[in-house]
Each structure stands twice: as C-alpha cells, then as structure tokens.
Amino acid sequence: MAAAPLLLAACGTLGAAAQTESGAGSAFADVWGRWADSGGDIAAAVTWERKVQPGVTVAEIEDAFASVAAEENLKMVGSLPLSAELQARSNQPQKFLKVYSYCDPETARAMVDFSPHMAAFLPCRITVLEKDDGLWIYTMNMDMLINMGRKMPPELKPRVTRVRDAVQKMLERGARGEF
C-alpha cells in the first residue's frame, strides 16, 4: 500500500516534466547544485549575483542600469532605497541597500496571461547591496523561470528571453560601471 502514493507522485512528476521546456533538466540541476552548495539557502539557489568591481560607484551602477534599460526598452518602474529609509529611522549610518524595479509592460501582461502566478515575480528587480567586501548586485535567476516552467507559447518565449537578456546585461554592465 505504501508504494501507491509514491507511484502516484512519480506519475505526477513525470507528467509535469513532460510539459516543461527542453532545458528544464539542466536548469533544475543548476538550481539544485546552488541550493546544496549554499547549505540549503533557497534564495542563493534561485538568484544571480555579481561583485561590483572596485572603484565603481553606486551612481555608475545606476547609470549602467539606466543605459541598458533605454537600449532594451525596459521601463524603470520604481526603486526602494532601503538603507536611506533605515538611516532616516535610526539616525545611524547604514550599508547601502537599494532595490530597482524594471518592466516591459507588454511582456509582463503576456506572462501573467500565460501563468497568473508569474505576477508574484513582477516587476524584474535588481538589488545593489553593500557588504563588508564591497558592493554586490543581485537579481532573480530568470533562466529558472524560462527553462523550468511549462512550455511557453512560441510567440512568448522570445519576448521573455529578451527581458532575461536585458536583466543579465544590467547585472554585468552594472558590476563594471559600464554605461
């Protein structure tokens, strides 16, 4: 009797796997490996990070983000200056922490129409964080969303991939202060 639930779970897993994109196995292995390497930190498993090169300022990172956003037709839809807010509340200096939000409204709508749960991942967020060893940039691993999910309609995947590439470019160019 104990084998029946296991068999049903396996059938459900196999059925779901059959509906995913062709790169799902590789993306899953990457996420699983990062999860294991981080000691079980799921946030480390599902994000990309880059150390900012020494000497690059926050202003240069922000200029790089703005430059890529303009090139790739992404809209800056907000920012959350957390360290400034914490400093105002405590009257104590804070390490830099700011979240930047970008969106391609048409692609966002198409993704939410495809999967309403994708609304929880909107807009695309990039965070600049000051740690003891300098500035770092973090963002969600969008390969996970593109490759591990259900197969997207053929007209949607290139649009989502374009946004993914733009966010990846923001991460890379921001870390170099290149605009």
Side-chain angles (χ1 to χ4, degrees):
M1 274 308 213
L6 184 58
L7 183 58
L8 288 174
C11 289
T13 300
L14 292 174
Q19 301 300 315
T20 61
E21 294 287 342
S22 61
S26 175
F28 180 79
D30 181 55
V31 168
W32 185 266
R34 288 176 55 88
W35 177 78
D37 291 346
S38 70
D41 184 344
I42 191 62
V46 298
T47 54
W48 291 323
E49 72 279 336
R50 293 293 178 279
K51 174 130 178 35
V52 175
Q53 291 180 354
V56 173
T57 66
V58 170
E60 290 169 326
I61 295 168
E62 290 176 340
D63 286 345
F65 290 171
S67 176
V68 173
E71 291 168 15
E72 301 297 334
N73 200 26
L74 291 182
K75 182 172 177 52
M76 172 36 138
V77 294
S79 65
L80 186 57
L82 293 169
S83 55
E85 176 65 22
L86 291 169
Q87 185 166 332
R89 289 180 183 197
S90 68
N91 208 21
Q92 299 293 317
Q94 301 289 318
K95 290 183 180 178
F96 189 82
L97 174 59
K98 187 172 181 180
V99 180
Y100 306 81
S101 299
Y102 294 88
C103 190
D104 173 341
E106 292 82 12
T107 301
R109 176 81 252 177
M111 274 304 291
V112 170
D113 288 345
F114 171 67
S115 172
H117 295 279
M118 284 294 185
F121 296 98
L122 297 176
C124 296
R125 289 174 301 277
I126 302 172
T127 300
V128 177
L129 168 67
E130 181 182 3
K131 298 181 357 182
D132 289 340
D133 64 347
L135 294 171
W136 286 78
I137 304 172
Y138 292 87
T139 192
M140 180 178 54
N141 176 346
M142 292 181 69
D143 287 340
M144 172 188 66
L145 295 178
I146 294 170
N147 296 323
M148 289 176 66
R150 282 185 297 131
K151 290 179 184 160
M152 292 182 209
E155 68 279 0
L156 180 58
K157 189 169 183 180
R159 293 170 65 185
V160 174
T161 300
R162 182 191 67 77
V163 172
R164 175 252 184 244
D165 292 347
V167 170
Q168 182 76 33
K169 191 186 296 186
M170 293 170 103
L171 182 70
E172 298 298 336
R173 286 179 40 188
R176 294 189 304 266
E178 180 183 297
F179 45 94

Coordinates of all heavy atoms in Angstrom, one line a residue, residues 52-122:
V52 N 30.7 43.9 -7.6 CA 31.0 45.1 -8.3 C 32.5 45.3 -8.3 O 33.1 45.2 -7.2 CB 30.2 46.3 -7.7 CG1 30.6 47.6 -8.4 CG2 28.7 46.0 -7.8
Q53 N 33.0 45.7 -9.4 CA 34.5 45.9 -9.5 C 34.9 47.1 -8.6 O 34.1 48.0 -8.4 CB 34.9 46.3 -10.9 CG 34.8 45.1 -11.9 CD 35.2 45.5 -13.3 OE1 35.5 46.6 -13.6 NE2 35.3 44.4 -14.1
P54 N 36.0 46.9 -7.9 CA 36.5 48.0 -7.0 C 36.5 49.4 -7.8 O 36.9 49.4 -8.9 CB 37.9 47.5 -6.6 CG 37.9 46.1 -6.8 CD 37.0 45.8 -8.0
G55 N 36.1 50.4 -7.1 CA 36.1 51.7 -7.6 C 34.9 52.1 -8.3 O 34.7 53.3 -8.6
V56 N 34.0 51.2 -8.7 CA 32.7 51.5 -9.3 C 31.8 52.0 -8.3 O 31.6 51.4 -7.2 CB 32.1 50.3 -10.0 CG1 30.7 50.6 -10.6 CG2 33.1 49.8 -11.2
T57 N 31.2 53.2 -8.5 CA 30.3 53.8 -7.6 C 28.8 53.4 -7.8 O 28.5 52.9 -8.9 CB 30.4 55.4 -7.7 OG1 29.9 55.8 -9.0 CG2 31.8 55.9 -7.5
V58 N 28.0 53.7 -6.8 CA 26.6 53.4 -7.0 C 26.0 54.2 -8.1 O 25.2 53.7 -8.9 CB 25.8 53.7 -5.7 CG1 24.3 53.7 -5.9 CG2 26.2 52.7 -4.6
A59 N 26.4 55.5 -8.3 CA 26.0 56.3 -9.4 C 26.3 55.7 -10.7 O 25.5 55.7 -11.7 CB 26.6 57.7 -9.3
E60 N 27.5 55.1 -10.9 CA 27.9 54.4 -12.1 C 27.1 53.2 -12.3 O 26.7 52.9 -13.5 CB 29.4 54.1 -12.1 CG 30.3 55.4 -12.2 CD 31.7 55.1 -11.9 OE1 32.1 54.2 -11.0 OE2 32.6 55.8 -12.5
I61 N 26.8 52.5 -11.3 CA 25.9 51.3 -11.4 C 24.5 51.7 -11.9 O 24.0 51.1 -12.9 CB 25.8 50.5 -10.1 CG1 27.1 50.0 -9.7 CG2 24.7 49.4 -10.2 CD1 27.2 49.5 -8.2
E62 N 24.0 52.8 -11.3 CA 22.7 53.3 -11.7 C 22.7 53.8 -13.1 O 21.7 53.5 -13.9 CB 22.2 54.3 -10.7 CG 21.9 53.8 -9.3 CD 21.5 54.8 -8.3 OE1 21.8 56.0 -8.5 OE2 20.9 54.4 -7.3
D63 N 23.7 54.4 -13.5 CA 23.9 54.9 -14.9 C 23.9 53.7 -15.9 O 23.3 53.7 -17.0 CB 25.1 55.7 -15.1 CG 25.0 57.1 -14.5 OD1 23.8 57.6 -14.2 OD2 26.0 57.8 -14.4
A64 N 24.6 52.6 -15.5 CA 24.6 51.4 -16.3 C 23.2 50.8 -16.4 O 22.8 50.4 -17.5 CB 25.6 50.4 -15.7
F65 N 22.5 50.7 -15.3 CA 21.2 50.2 -15.4 C 20.3 51.0 -16.3 O 19.6 50.5 -17.1 CB 20.5 50.2 -14.0 CG 21.1 49.2 -13.0 CD1 20.7 49.3 -11.7 CD2 22.0 48.2 -13.3 CE1 21.2 48.4 -10.7 CE2 22.5 47.3 -12.4 CZ 22.0 47.4 -11.1
A66 N 20.4 52.3 -16.2 CA 19.5 53.2 -17.0 C 19.9 53.1 -18.5 O 19.0 53.1 -19.3 CB 19.7 54.7 -16.5
S67 N 21.2 53.0 -18.7 CA 21.6 52.8 -20.1 C 21.1 51.6 -20.8 O 20.5 51.6 -21.9 CB 23.1 52.9 -20.2 OG 23.6 52.6 -21.5
V68 N 21.2 50.4 -20.1 CA 20.7 49.2 -20.6 C 19.2 49.2 -20.7 O 18.6 48.8 -21.7 CB 21.1 48.0 -19.7 CG1 20.4 46.7 -20.2 CG2 22.6 47.8 -19.7
A69 N 18.5 49.8 -19.7 CA 17.0 49.9 -19.8 C 16.6 50.7 -21.0 O 15.7 50.3 -21.7 CB 16.5 50.5 -18.5
A70 N 17.3 51.8 -21.3 CA 16.9 52.6 -22.5 C 17.2 51.8 -23.8 O 16.4 51.8 -24.7 CB 17.7 53.9 -22.5
E71 N 18.4 51.1 -23.9 CA 18.7 50.3 -25.0 C 17.7 49.2 -25.3 O 17.4 48.8 -26.4 CB 20.1 49.7 -24.9 CG 21.2 50.6 -24.9 CD 22.5 49.9 -24.4 OE1 22.6 48.7 -24.4 OE2 23.5 50.7 -24.1
E72 N 17.2 48.6 -24.2 CA 16.4 47.4 -24.3 C 14.9 47.7 -24.1 O 14.1 46.7 -24.1 CB 16.8 46.3 -23.3 CG 18.3 45.9 -23.5 CD 18.6 45.2 -24.8 OE1 17.6 44.6 -25.4 OE2 19.7 45.3 -25.2
N73 N 14.5 48.9 -24.1 CA 13.1 49.4 -23.9 C 12.5 48.8 -22.7 O 11.3 48.3 -22.7 CB 12.4 49.0 -25.2 CG 11.1 49.8 -25.3 OD1 11.0 50.9 -24.8 ND2 10.1 49.3 -26.0
L74 N 13.2 48.8 -21.6 CA 12.6 48.4 -20.3 C 12.3 49.7 -19.5 O 13.0 50.7 -19.6 CB 13.6 47.6 -19.4 CG 13.9 46.2 -19.9 CD1 14.8 45.5 -18.9 CD2 12.6 45.4 -20.1
K75 N 11.2 49.7 -18.8 CA 10.8 50.9 -18.1 C 11.2 50.8 -16.6 O 10.9 49.7 -16.0 CB 9.2 51.0 -18.2 CG 8.7 52.2 -17.5 CD 7.2 52.4 -17.8 CE 6.6 53.6 -17.1 NZ 7.3 54.8 -17.2
M76 N 11.8 51.8 -16.1 CA 12.1 51.9 -14.7 C 10.8 52.2 -14.0 O 10.2 53.2 -14.2 CB 13.2 52.9 -14.5 CG 13.6 53.4 -13.1 SD 13.6 52.2 -11.7 CE 15.1 52.8 -10.9
V77 N 10.3 51.3 -13.2 CA 9.0 51.5 -12.6 C 9.1 51.8 -11.1 O 8.0 51.9 -10.4 CB 8.1 50.3 -12.8 CG1 7.8 50.2 -14.3 CG2 8.7 49.0 -12.3
G78 N 10.3 51.9 -10.5 CA 10.4 52.3 -9.1 C 11.7 51.8 -8.5 O 12.5 51.1 -9.1
S79 N 11.9 52.4 -7.3 CA 13.1 51.9 -6.6 C 12.7 52.0 -5.1 O 11.8 52.8 -4.7 CB 14.3 52.8 -6.9 OG 14.1 54.2 -6.5
L80 N 13.4 51.3 -4.3 CA 13.2 51.2 -2.9 C 14.5 51.4 -2.2 O 15.3 50.5 -2.0 CB 12.6 49.9 -2.5 CG 12.1 49.7 -1.1 CD1 11.1 50.7 -0.7 CD2 11.5 48.3 -1.0
P81 N 14.8 52.7 -1.7 CA 16.1 53.0 -1.1 C 16.1 52.6 0.4 O 15.9 53.4 1.3 CB 16.2 54.5 -1.3 CG 14.8 55.0 -1.4 CD 14.0 53.8 -2.0
L82 N 16.2 51.3 0.6 CA 16.1 50.8 2.0 C 17.1 51.3 3.0 O 16.7 51.7 4.1 CB 16.1 49.2 1.9 CG 15.0 48.6 1.2 CD1 15.3 47.1 1.0 CD2 13.7 48.7 2.0
S83 N 18.3 51.4 2.6 CA 19.3 51.9 3.5 C 19.1 53.4 3.9 O 19.2 53.8 5.0 CB 20.8 51.8 3.0 OG 20.9 52.4 1.7
A84 N 18.6 54.2 2.9 CA 18.3 55.6 3.2 C 17.1 55.6 4.2 O 17.1 56.5 5.2 CB 17.9 56.3 2.0
E85 N 16.1 54.8 4.0 CA 15.0 54.7 5.0 C 15.4 54.3 6.3 O 15.0 54.9 7.4 CB 13.9 53.8 4.4 CG 12.7 53.6 5.3 CD 11.9 54.8 5.6 OE1 11.9 55.8 4.8 OE2 11.2 54.9 6.6
L86 N 16.3 53.3 6.4 CA 16.7 52.8 7.7 C 17.6 53.8 8.4 O 17.5 54.0 9.6 CB 17.5 51.5 7.5 CG 16.7 50.3 7.1 CD1 17.6 49.1 6.7 CD2 15.8 49.9 8.2
Q87 N 18.4 54.6 7.6 CA 19.2 55.6 8.2 C 18.3 56.7 8.8 O 18.5 57.3 9.9 CB 20.2 56.2 7.2 CG 21.1 57.2 7.8 CD 22.3 57.5 6.9 OE1 22.7 56.7 6.1 NE2 22.8 58.7 7.0
A88 N 17.2 57.1 8.0 CA 16.3 58.1 8.5 C 15.6 57.7 9.8 O 15.4 58.5 10.7 CB 15.3 58.4 7.4
R89 N 15.3 56.4 9.9 CA 14.6 55.9 11.0 C 15.5 55.8 12.3 O 15.0 56.1 13.4 CB 14.0 54.5 10.8 CG 12.8 54.5 9.8 CD 12.3 53.1 9.6 NE 11.3 53.1 8.7 CZ 10.4 52.0 8.5 NH1 10.6 51.0 9.3 NH2 9.5 52.1 7.6
S90 N 16.7 55.4 12.0 CA 17.6 55.2 13.2 C 18.6 56.3 13.5 O 19.2 56.3 14.5 CB 18.4 53.9 12.9 OG 19.3 54.1 11.8
N91 N 18.7 57.2 12.5 CA 19.7 58.3 12.6 C 21.1 57.7 12.7 O 22.0 58.3 13.3 CB 19.4 59.2 13.7 CG 19.9 60.6 13.4 OD1 20.2 61.0 12.3 ND2 20.1 61.4 14.5
Q92 N 21.3 56.5 12.2 CA 22.6 55.8 12.2 C 23.0 55.5 10.7 O 22.2 55.1 9.9 CB 22.5 54.5 13.0 CG 22.2 54.6 14.4 CD 23.3 55.3 15.2 OE1 24.4 55.0 15.1 NE2 22.9 56.3 16.1
P93 N 24.3 55.6 10.4 CA 24.7 55.2 9.1 C 24.4 53.7 8.8 O 24.4 52.9 9.7 CB 26.3 55.4 9.1 CG 26.5 56.2 10.3 CD 25.4 56.0 11.3
Q94 N 24.1 53.5 7.5 CA 23.7 52.1 7.1 C 24.5 51.7 5.9 O 24.9 52.6 5.0 CB 22.2 52.1 6.7 CG 21.3 52.5 7.8 CD 21.2 51.4 8.9 OE1 21.2 50.2 8.6 NE2 21.2 51.9 10.1
K95 N 24.8 50.5 5.7 CA 25.4 50.0 4.5 C 24.3 50.1 3.4 O 23.1 50.0 3.6 CB 25.8 48.5 4.6 CG 27.0 48.3 5.5 CD 27.3 46.8 5.5 CE 28.5 46.6 6.5 NZ 28.9 45.2 6.5
F96 N 24.8 50.4 2.2 CA 23.9 50.7 1.0 C 23.1 49.5 0.7 O 23.6 48.3 0.6 CB 24.7 51.1 -0.2 CG 23.9 51.6 -1.3 CD1 23.4 52.9 -1.3 CD2 23.5 50.8 -2.3 CE1 22.6 53.4 -2.3 CE2 22.7 51.2 -3.4 CZ 22.2 52.5 -3.4
L97 N 21.8 49.7 0.5 CA 20.8 48.7 0.1 C 19.7 49.4 -0.7 O 19.0 50.2 -0.1 CB 20.3 47.9 1.3 CG 19.2 46.9 1.0 CD1 19.6 45.8 0.1 CD2 18.7 46.3 2.4
K98 N 19.6 49.0 -1.9 CA 18.5 49.7 -2.8 C 18.1 48.7 -3.8 O 18.9 48.0 -4.4 CB 19.1 50.9 -3.4 CG 18.0 51.8 -4.2 CD 18.6 53.1 -4.6 CE 17.6 53.9 -5.4 NZ 18.2 55.2 -5.8
V99 N 16.7 48.6 -4.0 CA 16.1 47.7 -4.9 C 15.6 48.6 -6.1 O 14.9 49.6 -5.9 CB 14.9 47.0 -4.3 CG1 14.3 46.0 -5.3 CG2 15.4 46.2 -3.0
Y100 N 15.9 48.1 -7.3 CA 15.5 48.8 -8.5 C 14.5 47.9 -9.3 O 14.8 46.7 -9.4 CB 16.7 49.1 -9.4 CG 17.8 49.8 -8.7 CD1 18.7 49.2 -7.9 CD2 17.9 51.2 -8.9 CE1 19.7 49.8 -7.2 CE2 19.0 51.9 -8.2 CZ 19.8 51.2 -7.4 OH 20.8 51.9 -6.7
S101 N 13.4 48.5 -9.8 CA 12.4 47.7 -10.5 C 12.3 48.1 -11.9 O 12.1 49.3 -12.2 CB 11.1 47.8 -9.8 OG 11.2 47.4 -8.4
Y102 N 12.3 47.1 -12.8 CA 12.2 47.4 -14.3 C 11.1 46.5 -14.8 O 10.8 45.4 -14.3 CB 13.5 47.1 -15.0 CG 14.6 48.1 -14.6 CD1 15.4 47.8 -13.5 CD2 14.8 49.2 -15.3 CE1 16.4 48.7 -13.1 CE2 15.7 50.1 -14.9 CZ 16.5 49.9 -13.8 OH 17.5 50.8 -13.4
C103 N 10.5 47.0 -15.9 CA 9.4 46.2 -16.5 C 9.3 46.5 -18.0 O 9.5 47.6 -18.5 CB 8.1 46.5 -15.8 SG 6.7 45.4 -16.3
D104 N 8.9 45.4 -18.8 CA 8.4 45.6 -20.1 C 6.9 45.3 -20.0 O 6.5 44.1 -19.9 CB 9.1 44.6 -21.0 CG 8.5 44.5 -22.4 OD1 7.3 45.0 -22.6 OD2 9.2 44.0 -23.3
P105 N 6.0 46.3 -20.0 CA 4.6 46.0 -19.7 C 3.9 45.0 -20.6 O 3.1 44.2 -20.1 CB 4.0 47.4 -19.8 CG 5.1 48.4 -19.6 CD 6.3 47.7 -20.1
E106 N 4.2 45.1 -21.9 CA 3.6 44.1 -22.8 C 4.0 42.7 -22.5 O 3.1 41.8 -22.5 CB 3.9 44.5 -24.2 CG 3.2 45.8 -24.7 CD 4.0 47.0 -24.3 OE1 5.2 46.9 -23.9 OE2 3.5 48.1 -24.5
T107 N 5.3 42.5 -22.2 CA 5.7 41.1 -21.9 C 5.2 40.7 -20.6 O 4.8 39.5 -20.4 CB 7.3 41.0 -22.0 OG1 7.7 41.4 -23.3 CG2 7.8 39.7 -21.7
A108 N 5.1 41.6 -19.6 CA 4.6 41.3 -18.3 C 3.2 40.8 -18.4 O 2.8 39.8 -17.8 CB 4.7 42.5 -17.4
R109 N 2.4 41.5 -19.2 CA 1.0 41.1 -19.4 C 0.8 39.8 -20.0 O 0.0 38.9 -19.6 CB 0.3 42.2 -20.2 CG -1.2 41.9 -20.6 CD -2.1 42.2 -19.4 NE -2.6 41.0 -18.7 CZ -3.3 41.1 -17.7 NH1 -3.7 42.2 -17.1 NH2 -3.7 40.0 -17.1
A110 N 1.6 39.5 -21.0 CA 1.6 38.2 -21.7 C 2.0 37.1 -20.8 O 1.4 36.0 -20.8 CB 2.5 38.3 -22.9
M111 N 3.0 37.3 -19.9 CA 3.4 36.3 -19.0 C 2.3 36.0 -17.9 O 2.1 34.8 -17.6 CB 4.7 36.7 -18.2 CG 6.0 36.4 -19.0 SD 6.2 34.6 -19.4 CE 6.4 33.9 -17.8
V112 N 1.7 37.0 -17.4 CA 0.6 36.9 -16.5 C -0.6 36.2 -17.1 O -1.2 35.3 -16.5 CB 0.3 38.2 -15.8 CG1 -1.0 38.1 -15.0 CG2 1.4 38.7 -15.0
D113 N -0.8 36.5 -18.4 CA -1.9 35.8 -19.1 C -1.6 34.3 -19.2 O -2.4 33.4 -19.1 CB -2.2 36.4 -20.5 CG -2.8 37.7 -20.4 OD1 -3.4 38.1 -19.3 OD2 -2.8 38.5 -21.4
F114 N -0.3 34.0 -19.5 CA 0.2 32.6 -19.6 C 0.1 31.9 -18.2 O -0.3 30.7 -18.1 CB 1.6 32.6 -20.1 CG 2.3 31.2 -20.1 CD1 1.8 30.2 -20.9 CD2 3.4 31.0 -19.3 CE1 2.4 29.0 -20.9 CE2 4.0 29.8 -19.3 CZ 3.5 28.8 -20.1
S115 N 0.6 32.6 -17.2 CA 0.6 32.0 -15.8 C 0.3 33.1 -14.8 O 1.2 33.9 -14.5 CB 1.9 31.3 -15.5 OG 2.0 30.9 -14.2
P116 N -0.9 33.2 -14.3 CA -1.2 34.3 -13.3 C -0.2 34.3 -12.1 O 0.1 35.4 -11.6 CB -2.6 33.9 -12.8 CG -3.2 33.2 -13.9 CD -2.1 32.4 -14.5
H117 N 0.4 33.2 -11.8 CA 1.4 33.1 -10.7 C 2.6 33.9 -11.0 O 3.3 34.3 -10.0 CB 1.8 31.7 -10.3 CG 0.6 30.9 -9.8 ND1 0.2 30.9 -8.5 CD2 -0.3 30.0 -10.5 CE1 -0.9 30.2 -8.4 NE2 -1.2 29.6 -9.5
M118 N 2.9 34.2 -12.2 CA 4.1 35.0 -12.6 C 3.9 36.4 -12.1 O 4.9 37.1 -12.0 CB 4.3 35.0 -14.1 CG 4.9 33.7 -14.7 SD 6.5 33.6 -14.0 CE 7.0 32.1 -14.9
A119 N 2.7 36.8 -11.8 CA 2.5 38.2 -11.2 C 3.4 38.4 -10.0 O 3.8 39.5 -9.7 CB 1.1 38.4 -10.9
A120 N 3.6 37.3 -9.2 CA 4.4 37.5 -8.0 C 5.9 37.8 -8.3 O 6.6 38.3 -7.4 CB 4.3 36.2 -7.2
F121 N 6.3 37.6 -9.5 CA 7.7 37.8 -9.9 C 7.9 39.2 -10.6 O 9.0 39.5 -11.0 CB 8.2 36.7 -10.8 CG 8.3 35.4 -10.1 CD1 7.3 34.5 -10.3 CD2 9.4 35.1 -9.3 CE1 7.3 33.2 -9.7 CE2 9.4 33.8 -8.7 CZ 8.4 32.9 -8.8
L122 N 6.8 40.0 -10.7 CA 6.9 41.2 -11.4 C 7.0 42.4 -10.4 O 6.5 42.3 -9.3 CB 5.6 41.4 -12.2 CG 5.3 40.4 -13.3 CD1 4.0 40.7 -13.9 CD2 6.4 40.5 -14.3

